[in-house]
Amino acid sequence: FGGEDGALPKVAWDDGCQVCGGDVAAGVVLICEECTGEYHCACLDPPLESVPEGEWFCPGCARARECRDPTSRELTALRGTKLDLVTRGMPTPDGELGSTRCRA
């Protein structure tokens, strides 16, 4: 499994949602194109009502991409939200600690 030749591709229940830890039984899971982190549409802040078309990047990776391309402003509205703090591994206002898998 993983990077070996002939390995199976990553699927949406390998690791669980980076926000709640749940698997596909808890809802639709998005997999980040860059870090392969998993996120339920409903766990994103704000939640996504449908699966986005095309490539999707988690907030941490999208932020890193924005840093590499300062003309991009796609995540400006997410800065300081619970999801933004969780993906950076910082405590949220309610004291939760976020994931360390997807830091910018």
Side-chain angles (χ1 to χ4, degrees):
F1 208 76
E4 301 174 19
D5 288 338
L8 297 174
K10 182 171 177 71
V11 292
W13 54 83
D14 285 346
D15 299 322
C17 175
Q18 296 299 298
V19 177
C20 75
D23 62 13
V24 292
V28 175
V29 175
L30 299 173
I31 298 177
C32 177
E33 300 286 339
E34 193 163 316
C35 73
T36 68
E38 302 170 17
Y39 294 82
H40 289 119
C41 288
C43 289
L44 295 169
D45 182 13
L48 293 179
E49 293 187 18
S50 62
V51 175
E53 291 186 28
E55 292 183 325
W56 180 81
F57 298 93
C58 72
C61 290
R63 185 182 317 97
R65 293 170 67 83
E66 184 180 61
C67 290
R68 291 189 298 265
D69 177 13
T71 61
S72 169
R73 297 286 176 231
E74 61 191 35
L75 280 184
T76 302
L78 293 178
R79 287 197 182 127
T81 63
K82 182 175 180 178
L83 183 62
D84 178 49
L85 296 172
V86 166
T87 57
R88 289 190 290 148
M90 299 177 67
T92 62
D94 55 4
E96 292 181 38
L97 284 177
S99 168
T100 58
R101 288 194 60 219
C102 185
R103 290 188 179 168

